[in-house]
Amino acid sequence: QVQLVESGGGLVQAGGSLRLSCAVSESIFSFNSMGWYRLLPGKARELVAFITSDGSTKYVASVKGRFINSRDNAKNAVYLQMNSLKPEDTAMYYCSAEGRKDYWGQGTQVTVSS
């Protein structure tokens, strides 16, 4: 069973930064892409960013220019650098590994105070 463990969430003031990490129990080359999703209070889950096996990245419009998605193949890890955080970024953030089967982490809470 593939395991994903997110870390790096916390409480930060608006304008601050956080770096989320996602450690994967097997080679991330096994997956077509690695994604970051967030669950906002009272809303549906939202795809924030994803990175493909060749390093291509895509972002939801609301985080473009503020968030940076990266991967370290040697460490089987992906990262989400979040800068210029806004209160509306407050959510539970989940890492996913997407391939023939999708796997999810347990999530890490990000809270941005105004």
Side-chain angles (χ1 to χ4, degrees):
Q1 180 73 7
V2 178
Q3 293 185 330
L4 286 73
V5 179
E6 301 97 334
S7 60
L11 173 63
V12 65
Q13 288 188 328
S17 298
L18 285 173
R19 188 190 192 216
L20 304 185
S21 299
C22 175
V24 186
S25 63
E26 69 176 57
S27 172
I28 57 177
F29 274 123
S30 301
F31 306 100
N32 296 329
S33 63
M34 301 293 299
W36 287 98
Y37 291 77
R38 63 187 179 187
L39 188 60
L40 283 71
K43 295 189 178 180
R45 187 177 60 196
E46 175 185 52
L47 173 63
V48 177
F50 71 86
I51 185 166
T52 63
S53 56
D54 65 359
S56 298
T57 56
K58 291 286 186 183
Y59 300 91
V60 68
S62 60
V63 309
K64 257 183 203 176
R66 299 190 297 123
F67 290 11
I68 302 170
N69 195 11
S70 62
R71 59 191 285 155
D72 186 331
N73 297 321
K75 294 183 178 179
N76 293 327
V78 291
Y79 307 98
L80 188 66
Q81 177 68 43
M82 305 188 296
N83 302 318
S84 302
L85 282 161
K86 304 176 181 180
E88 50 264 42
D89 294 317
T90 294
M92 183 71 81
Y93 284 73
Y94 297 87
C95 174
S96 70
E98 298 155 5
R100 286 183 296 176
K101 186 176 178 181
D102 296 344
Y103 298 90
W104 295 85
Q106 83 289 348
T108 185
Q109 177 68 38
V110 171
T111 303
V112 185
S113 63
S114 56

